[in-house]
Amino acid sequence: MSNSFRTTNSTGLINKDKKINFTFNGTIYHGYEGDTLASALIANGVHLVGRSFKYHRPRGFLGVGVEEPNAMVQLHDGNKSEPNIIATEVELVEGLKAKSQNCWPSVQFDIGEINNVLNRFFPAGFYYKTFMWPKSFWMKIYEPFIRKAAGMGKAPLLPDPDRYEHNYEHCDVLVVGSGPSGLASALAAAKNGARVILAEDKPNFGGSLLTDEVTIGNMSGKEWASDTISQLKSMPNVILKKRSQVFGYYDHNMTVMIERVSDHIENPSKYTPRQRLHYIRAGEVIVSTGSIERPISFGNNDRPGIVLASAAKEYMKVYETLVGKKPIIFTNNDTAYSTALEFIKNDIEPIIVDTRDSSNGELVKEVQQKGISIKFNSGIADTKGHLKINSAIIGKLDSSKESFISEETVECDCICMSGGWTPTVHLSSQAGNKLKFNDDIDAFVPDKKRQKETAIGAANGSFTLNQSLAEGFQVGFDLSNKFTDQNNPTNSPNSNEPSYEKHEKLWCMPLPSGKKPKRFIDFQNDVAVSDVELAIREGFRSIEHVKRYTTLGMAGDQGKTSNLNGLQYVSKIEKKIVPEVGHTTFRPPYTPVTIGAIVGREVGNHYLPTRKSPIHTWHEENNAVFVAAGLWQRPRYYPRGSEDMNTAVNREAANVRKNVGICDVTTLGKIDIKGPDAPEFLNRVYTNAWLKLPVGKARYGVMLREDGMVFDDGTTSRLSENHFHMTTTTAQAANVLSHLEYYLQVVWPDLDVNVLSTTEQWSGIAVAGPKSRDLLSKLFPDVDMSNEGLPFMGLVDSSIDGIKARIYRISFSGELAYEVNVESNYGLYIWKKIMEEGQSFDIQPYGTEALSTLRIEMGHVAGAELDGRTIPFDVGLNSMVSQKKDFIGKRSLSKDAFTESDRQTIVGLVPLDKKTKIPEGSHIIEDNSAVAPIPKLGHVSSSCWSVEYNNPFSIAIIKDGKNKIGKNLYAVSPLKDISIPVEVVSSHYVDPEGSRVRS
Amino acid sequence: MLEIKCPYCGKRSQNEFSYGGDATIKRPQLGEEISTEDWDNFVYYRDNPRGKHSELWHHVSGCRQWFKVSRDTATHEIFDTCKMNEDFNV
Ligand SMILES: [Zn+2]
């Protein structure tokens, strides 16, 4: 039985000297190098691959490539497991494991097949109709059932172990598809000097030239293809990519291509990616994607063993494999006769059924000359064979071709059908091309292009070799000439091919007498002719609606073999011509793409860039627990021994209040501002006055958006007459810079000011606490650190060990505090120096949690309060708003809603029990026993454990806040089912006079 | 992904830029007496045309310059780009 369906010739592309073992549904088989999983299974006589999506009908192979709707398998085990893989696209590799999906307990005996018996209960739209009622059944009964029944393969639950990469490419001309027209255009464009990328989905270049009996020049088509590829390979301006599918065509000629790099290699090296996603920005795209054969709808046309005629031919010619030994060829056109001839070459006599009355095509005559009689004016009415076709009922058509006159049963083991050819217009359509219907070929072809895209060859409806080559050479030259000045055209060689007679416009067979078997149109979604009839009977007219109601063309194969047959059938029932019915929209991806490839290397720690301060290693060595602040990693706290977070944070914060703490504030945004108009610019950007800030002084500033909401805050200092140093919050650093650039470049270009981010040039170290002055005096003996020498909001330049340092006397903690700034590379050195000298002052590092605690206690606002919904008044910053000058956003502040006195404003909250910490985000309400919906007064923005008073403290923003001070309210969190009685206090909980910072 | 020609750097992919809205909006003068309606029109109200649109883009991962783009909002066709102190040619 092993490989008993191999042909005896060896003219294909497989290597019979190299056996490859693989497993399908637990059975070990072998195939050969060059096989696909599909060809190897067929060679071993295996046609039953899976069960269909809705009715669980046994299914086999229909096609040989991307068009395959049926043969989906689950590949591999464990973390490499991958569902819904088309067996025709899987190259055989030693040890490959595949199994059927959507069946239980096995593909031979599948319980779900009951759906097929019950199929009259599962018509089109059955989800919409059946599962709507009763409502309560949806969650518990229908939904779980549908999920289970409608499953295809199983997604793996483990992380994907494979590596995927992204690549960006640019070229003058991208050629998609390497059939005759693609090769011709790539050669012409490359010879004319253009930078060319040629992409081919299959493992071999050549397209139809690999299977068609034609000659080009003095070579066979296959030889010409390989000769052309050799020429292209030798040219430095050409990139050749096989196993590469261009699946998406986006704006401005951006195409995306997926390359299968290592799945076909037995033991790829560890760092070889599995797949590579190429973003190709092409000057011009040539769509030479060929065409896909159309099936014919007839009774039970989905049994394993029923394949496309072109697929049967390719299995024979490329994979040296027979889809069957007792074939029926069923066609409405001439091309299927080449499949018949290929069988004859292998000493197999096919039965030929042709819907047409006659044909004088060359291939038809050749078949007849070999003594084969053809059943013209006939069609297949029905088929038999449960898990594999074993016979067909062939009927003689009446003159109207609407019914059969007589029927006969004929034994067979396969049917090779052909309903003609559909140009693969997906990429052109994705590119915005308005397709037109071509009556000669009964299919849509590209017409009005929106982007720089040109379809040629079969994709353009040009089905002869002669025409394909001529178009290829011409278009390749014309388009490349836009990019080069070589003006070097390549002539199209002579070619020879058989002539074809016209196809018949017949894609759906009448029903056999007395029976109503399903005649499938869309195999993957189990959509039959009767479903389309039902949809139209129920009033769906738009083709988009018919598509959604029946799910025709909506499966993973995107209707590659079904769209046009569906359209044709709708137009037949509606008695309209196809262009009136129109077509549905093609969207990327043309073929399914793994999520891994889309994500690429941006996984795990590479998901986002990580920013670390120059002091990061010290934090790591000192047991810091880190927290992400945007892209930055900041120390959250530094636990000692077995301390939990709260204990550590309280210790760190209390030590700042009592002794001295040190905090890495490198992450704060820093912007250098220079120019004669810098003071005027700051005066417009900030709400307060800046013109008279003396050199050597810092000032706190608040900036608004034009809508009046607080945008950011920070201190900015004047280093010299026209030179300022601005700091921003860590979170808004990038946005503030863009904001400043916007006003300087767009709104006030007359201002002579330059801004530059210096965030990464400076390392910032906050030294805070009552002992900070003594510590810094020791570190900088030549600086007068007294309150007079370096007052609050003053700054001074000095140095340690020859390293320049700038010392600002500013405070976020509310304590006497300084910020030492040094050039980034010295950050770690200075930090260590301060720690060393600080030991005698009981210095401790503190992280972002303690930093928060300190600022919350003081009532200093931060991101939680400046959340884009608060104006200065709301957050207690009204004193920062100048009445004398205009600034960004000022006009908004005088709008009615912004001047109401009972706006939500900032207050402090203390729980009455002095114990329960109030969750951030809690709602504030007045009456805990009121009936819902209870009016909400505001929300809790920040919470901490006050180290000063040793009880919880929160900042909240509540309606008419100032007048609520002293009142008892409730902080509630319905999510956590918490209700905490609280007292409203001032948000300035500690040192409301601000005496410490000035001490 | 669009391809945008920065007037300073040349053609670059869209992911280097950020969008800045309608380029024809003029900020009122500082200190100008302005009705609430006019101010609201400046702050909030924007046309949402189908077709040609003059807009601002910022070459944020590049030269950090703001510039003007004339783009079709339906087809994404870019007719022209220019510096802030220039006018479109097309
Ligand atoms: Zn630029």
Side-chain angles (χ1 to χ4, degrees):
Chain A
M1 184 75 186
S2 168
N3 283 272
S4 59
F5 283 82
R6 291 289 178 186
T7 64
T8 49
N9 63 50
S10 54
T11 53
L13 297 170
I14 60 167
N15 174 12
K16 279 180 178 155
D17 294 332
K18 191 169 181 219
K19 266 192 192 181
I20 294 179
N21 297 301
F22 69 103
T23 310
F24 180 64
N25 286 337
T27 306
I28 296 169
Y29 300 92
H30 81 261
Y32 299 107
E33 189 178 59
D35 260 326
T36 61
L37 177 59
S39 65
L41 283 171
I42 294 172
N44 282 286
V46 178
H47 277 264
L48 175 62
V49 182
R51 291 282 176 157
S52 73
F53 173 66
K54 196 158 121 188
Y55 303 124
H56 290 248
R57 291 169 67 102
R59 289 282 168 82
F61 305 95
L62 178 76
V64 69
V66 291
E67 73 283 2
E68 176 59 49
N70 288 332
M72 288 191 297
V73 294
Q74 182 105 23
L75 284 188
H76 312 295
D77 297 322
N79 59 2
K80 289 226 172 209
S81 180
E82 202 173 9
N84 308 333
I85 301 301
I86 303 167
T88 52
E89 289 277 280
V90 178
E91 287 179 68
L92 210 57
V93 65
E94 185 65 32
L96 183 83
K97 271 190 197 166
K99 62 181 179 221
S100 300
Q101 47 189 44
N102 204 29
C103 55
W104 185 85
S106 76
V107 70
Q108 279 83 13
F109 177 72
D110 172 23
I111 297 277
E113 200 176 349
I114 190 86
N115 289 5
N116 189 30
V117 180
L118 300 176
N119 72 62
R120 65 195 177 91
F121 300 115
F122 292 88
F126 84 108
Y127 292 120
Y128 308 118
K129 290 170 183 163
T130 316
F131 297 126
M132 291 307 289
W133 183 92
K135 211 175 160 188
S136 59
F137 272 35
W138 177 254
M139 292 287 278
K140 284 183 185 139
I141 294 168
Y142 297 144
E143 209 244 351
F145 169 76
I146 291 171
R147 274 196 190 286
K148 216 170 150 196
M152 305 244 263
K154 283 202 174 63
L157 296 172
L158 299 163
D160 190 337
D162 290 314
R163 184 184 175 97
Y164 302 85
E165 288 180 355
H166 286 181
N167 177 43
Y168 288 80
E169 286 286 359
H170 296 262
C171 64
D172 298 329
V173 179
L174 167 67
V175 180
V176 186
S178 71
S181 64
L183 288 176
S185 63
L187 188 63
K191 279 189 166 175
N192 197 32
R195 292 179 304 147
V196 174
I197 297 176
L198 173 64
E200 168 58 48
D201 166 51
K202 298 214 170 189
N204 301 295
F205 293 103
S208 62
L209 294 174
L210 299 177
T211 54
D212 284 358
E213 300 283 333
V214 295
T215 58
I216 301 173
N218 52 4
M219 289 180 261
S220 73
K222 201 171 149 185
E223 285 162 354
W224 183 82
S226 107
D227 179 68
T228 305
I229 289 296
S230 316
Q231 287 188 58
L232 290 168
K233 256 187 199 152
S234 69
M235 301 168 86
N237 52 329
V238 177
I239 296 174
L240 293 174
K241 285 283 178 192
K242 50 189 180 185
R243 300 187 174 90
S244 295
Q245 180 83 58
V246 176
F247 65 79
Y249 198 133
Y250 301 88
D251 292 300
H252 295 183
N253 266 31
M254 168 65 86
T255 61
V256 187
M257 174 173 88
I258 182 88
E259 180 187 8
R260 305 185 299 275
V261 184
S262 65
D263 276 355
H264 63 288
I265 300 170
E266 196 179 327
N267 283 311
S269 92
K270 190 181 165 191
Y271 296 110
T272 305
R274 181 177 171 231
Q275 298 178 342
R276 205 176 274 132
L277 198 74
H278 300 263
Y279 292 90
I280 305 171
R281 183 84 72 181
E284 292 279 348
V285 175
I286 294 178
V287 180
S288 48
T289 45
S291 55
I292 290 173
E293 196 164 27
R294 290 162 67 172
I296 300 176
S297 297
F298 53 87
N300 291 305
N301 60 338
D302 63 328
R303 294 193 195 282
I306 303 178
V307 302
L308 293 171
S310 57
K313 186 169 82 172
E314 191 167 331
Y315 284 120
M316 286 187 273
K317 297 205 76 157
V318 173
Y319 301 105
E320 300 167 17
T321 290
L322 297 163
V323 293
K325 295 176 180 174
K326 254 186 165 182
I328 294 176
I329 310 285
F330 177 33
T331 184
N332 70 355
N333 68 88
D334 273 10
T335 60
Y337 285 82
S338 62
T339 306
L341 285 165
E342 197 58 34
F343 274 112
I344 295 167
K345 245 190 242 167
N346 285 290
D347 299 323
I348 291 168
E349 257 192 37
I351 294 164
I352 303 182
V353 180
D354 194 323
T355 65
R356 298 173 296 178
D357 299 339
S358 67
S359 168
N360 287 313
E362 277 178 40
L363 295 178
V364 180
K365 280 186 188 155
E366 198 181 333
V367 166
Q368 282 169 324
Q369 278 158 15
K370 308 234 179 217
I372 313 269
S373 72
I374 299 161
K375 293 174 193 288
F376 279 115
N377 207 7
S378 298
I380 293 178
D382 202 354
T383 67
K384 287 183 182 157
H386 180 44
L387 299 177
K388 171 86 194 289
I389 184 164
N390 58 31
S391 57
I393 292 153
I394 298 174
K396 195 88 187 160
L397 290 159
D398 72 358
S399 57
S400 69
K401 309 214 173 181
E402 299 280 339
S403 65
F404 293 111
I405 308 166
S406 61
E407 292 170 15
E408 59 171 326
T409 302
V410 176
E411 276 186 31
C412 65
D413 65 355
C414 68
I415 295 177
C416 309
M417 60 182 163
S418 176
W421 295 82
T422 309
T424 305
V425 296
H426 297 62
L427 285 182
S428 298
S429 178
Q430 286 179 23
N433 193 307
K434 283 248 181 290
L435 309 176
K436 69 171 179 220
F437 193 73
N438 179 337
D439 250 338
D440 283 340
I441 60 167
D442 277 301
F444 286 95
V445 290
D447 184 22
K448 287 202 190 75
K449 64 179 85 172
R450 206 185 76 199
Q451 298 203 45
K452 289 174 180 156
E453 149 262 334
T454 310
I456 57 170
N460 191 34
S462 307
F463 286 157
T464 68
L465 177 64
N466 207 14
Q467 215 180 338
S468 289
L469 290 173
E471 279 176 20
F473 280 106
Q474 189 64 48
V475 168
F477 168 70
D478 287 347
L479 294 180
S480 59
N481 235 13
K482 293 184 176 183
F483 306 98
T484 73
D485 47 14
Q486 300 187 6
N487 210 23
N488 176 26
T490 308
N491 289 328
S492 182
N494 291 328
S495 64
N496 265 308
E497 63 193 307
S499 73
Y500 297 103
E501 283 234 324
K502 205 169 153 41
H503 68 279
E504 182 164 44
K505 295 173 187 284
L506 190 59
W507 296 274
C508 180
M509 287 298 106
L511 286 167
S513 62
K515 281 189 193 158
K516 284 186 177 172
K518 283 216 174 285
R519 295 169 292 174
F520 285 94
I521 299 176
D522 180 336
F523 296 90
Q524 198 167 89
N525 261 355
D526 267 353
V527 181
V529 169
S530 52
D531 295 311
V532 174
E533 288 170 343
L534 179 74
I536 290 170
R537 213 159 55 234
E538 296 197 347
F540 293 90
R541 288 293 176 271
S542 152
I543 190 65
E544 293 283 0
H545 291 163
V546 171
K547 166 181 165 177
R548 278 159 184 78
Y549 194 60
T550 61
T551 70
L552 180 105
M554 285 172 70
D557 70 342
Q558 293 226 350
K560 289 181 180 68
T561 53
S562 62
N563 276 339
L564 214 48
N565 279 2
L567 277 177
Q568 221 97 36
Y569 200 71
V570 170
S571 69
K572 186 186 166 197
I573 304 177
E574 295 264 84
K575 298 193 170 54
K576 282 182 186 169
I577 52 169
V578 175
E580 274 177 40
V581 175
H583 62 87
T584 54
T585 313
F586 296 96
R587 294 193 176 85
Y590 174 65
T591 49
V593 180
T594 55
I595 300 287
I598 293 169
V599 174
R601 295 286 294 136
E602 289 163 23
V603 288
N605 285 337
H606 298 299
Y607 175 58
L608 288 171
T610 305
R611 299 179 84 179
K612 292 174 181 173
S613 103
I615 309 165
H616 191 84
T617 48
W618 189 94
H619 305 316
E620 281 177 331
E621 285 157 14
N622 286 273
N623 207 29
V625 174
F626 290 92
V627 62
L631 300 177
W632 290 100
Q633 287 292 310
R634 297 192 70 179
R636 193 174 183 193
Y637 57 99
Y638 304 79
R640 289 182 175 174
S642 58
E643 271 183 345
D644 63 7
M645 183 172 90
N646 287 339
T647 317
V649 170
N650 290 350
R651 170 182 51 71
E652 290 170 15
N655 191 60
V656 173
R657 295 265 184 256
K658 191 175 157 215
N659 299 309
V660 59
I662 178 170
C663 183
D664 185 354
V665 294
T666 299
T667 62
L668 284 182
K670 303 168 203 82
I671 298 169
D672 204 60
I673 302 176
K674 272 184 182 167
D677 295 322
E680 171 62 23
F681 181 53
L682 290 174
N683 215 39
R684 296 179 187 186
V685 165
Y686 281 127
T687 60
N688 50 341
W690 284 81
L691 296 179
K692 288 174 188 157
L693 178 70
V695 172
K697 287 281 182 190
R699 184 166 285 176
Y700 174 68
V702 174
M703 55 179 88
L704 310 185
R705 311 188 306 216
E706 292 286 16
D707 66 0
M709 300 298 166
V710 179
F711 174 39
D712 199 43
D713 68 342
T715 52
T716 290
S717 38
R718 192 167 200 167
L719 304 178
S720 68
E721 190 61 26
N722 296 330
H723 186 191
F724 291 79
H725 174 82
M726 174 185 276
T727 65
T728 74
T729 59
T730 300
Q732 294 284 28
N735 295 336
V736 170
L737 183 66
S738 288
H739 177 81
L740 300 183
E741 286 168 338
Y742 171 82
Y743 281 94
L744 286 173
Q745 295 171 27
V746 179
V747 183
W748 300 310
D750 51 308
L751 290 183
D752 190 358
V753 180
N754 273 299
V755 292
L756 182 72
S757 168
T758 54
T759 300
E760 297 190 347
Q761 278 63 39
W762 292 100
S763 198
I765 299 166
V767 181
K771 295 182 184 169
S772 58
R773 173 175 289 133
D774 296 344
L775 170 56
L776 286 197
S777 302
K778 231 176 137 187
L779 281 160
F780 299 96
D782 38 348
V783 176
D784 177 5
M785 288 283 174
S786 71
N787 214 6
E788 296 73 36
L790 182 56
F792 181 53
M793 294 307 242
L795 65 104
V796 63
D797 285 342
S798 181
S799 64
I800 303 183
D801 299 348
I803 300 161
K804 281 186 196 162
R806 182 166 290 148
I807 306 154
Y808 299 87
R809 190 171 159 199
I810 53 179
S811 174
F812 192 49
S813 58
E815 295 298 327
L816 169 67
Y818 302 83
E819 199 184 300
V820 181
N821 277 15
V822 292
E823 204 184 302
S824 279
N825 291 343
Y826 297 111
L828 180 60
Y829 178 82
I830 299 296
W831 175 280
K832 284 180 175 168
K833 188 96 188 164
I834 299 172
M835 278 303 296
E836 203 180 291
E837 286 296 338
Q839 292 312 311
S840 51
F841 300 94
D842 297 312
I843 195 167
Q844 287 181 21
Y846 62 104
T848 56
E849 286 294 329
L851 186 76
S852 282
T853 294
L854 296 165
R855 74 96 187 163
I856 293 168
E857 278 190 323
M858 285 288 167
H860 290 172
V861 291
E865 289 75 36
L866 310 181
D867 64 355
R869 299 180 294 178
T870 48
I871 59 171
F873 174 81
D874 305 343
V875 287
L877 294 173
N878 234 15
S879 62
M880 295 291 299
V881 178
S882 166
Q883 301 305 318
K884 292 185 187 136
K885 57 146 195 174
D886 198 1
F887 52 83
I888 293 168
K890 185 179 190 185
R891 177 61 182 83
S892 289
L893 298 180
S894 57
K895 292 183 60 170
D896 290 348
F898 291 179
T899 53
E900 282 166 8
S901 61
D902 65 345
R903 284 182 62 83
Q904 292 190 1
T905 49
I906 188 168
V907 294
L909 298 177
V910 177
L912 294 187
D913 68 0
K914 302 270 172 118
K915 274 186 218 147
T916 314
K917 218 173 149 181
I918 308 164
E920 287 171 353
S922 297
H923 300 286
I924 306 300
I925 58 169
E926 197 150 6
D927 182 358
N928 195 27
S929 57
V931 181
I934 305 171
K936 181 187 153 183
L937 298 176
H939 72 281
V940 175
S941 55
S942 305
S943 288
C944 72
W945 184 273
S946 165
V947 290
E948 182 90 6
Y949 296 106
N950 205 24
N951 58 251
F953 175 72
S954 291
I955 293 176
I957 297 179
I958 63 171
K959 197 169 174 65
D960 199 13
K962 273 210 181 76
N963 292 320
K964 296 257 174 14
I965 288 175
K967 284 196 171 156
N968 288 354
L969 301 172
Y970 294 90
V972 297
S973 175
L975 275 179
K976 295 178 180 169
D977 200 20
I978 291 174
S979 173
I980 306 163
V982 295
E983 185 192 350
V984 182
V985 298
S986 161
S987 58
H988 300 290
Y989 196 41
V990 173
D991 189 23
E993 300 80 30
S995 57
R996 295 183 194 176
V997 294
R998 294 183 175 78
S999 61
Chain B
M1 189 162 20
L2 307 188
E3 188 178 45
I4 301 169
K5 187 182 168 193
C6 170
Y8 301 90
C9 307
K11 285 183 174 179
R12 296 288 189 275
S13 270
Q14 184 184 347
N15 49 5
E16 290 188 14
F17 299 90
S18 66
Y19 178 67
D22 190 337
T24 63
I25 298 293
K26 289 270 170 287
R27 192 193 187 281
Q29 294 292 310
L30 282 170
E32 180 184 336
E33 284 285 323
I34 182 170
S35 70
T36 301
E37 194 185 340
D38 287 346
W39 179 256
D40 285 349
N41 276 333
F42 157 65
V43 176
Y44 298 106
Y45 289 89
R46 295 291 182 272
D47 290 334
N48 185 17
R50 181 189 168 86
K52 211 171 193 178
H53 188 232
S54 296
E55 54 203 22
L56 296 172
W57 286 77
H58 190 199
H59 197 181
V60 73
S61 299
C63 64
R64 304 230 28 126
Q65 294 299 305
W66 287 86
F67 60 96
K68 293 192 282 189
V69 176
S70 172
R71 179 181 66 104
D72 189 308
T73 58
T75 64
H76 287 315
E77 184 183 354
I78 292 179
F79 307 104
D80 199 8
T81 63
C82 66
K83 297 177 182 175
M84 285 311 303
N85 59 358
E86 295 173 345
D87 292 318
F88 297 122
N89 287 314
V90 192

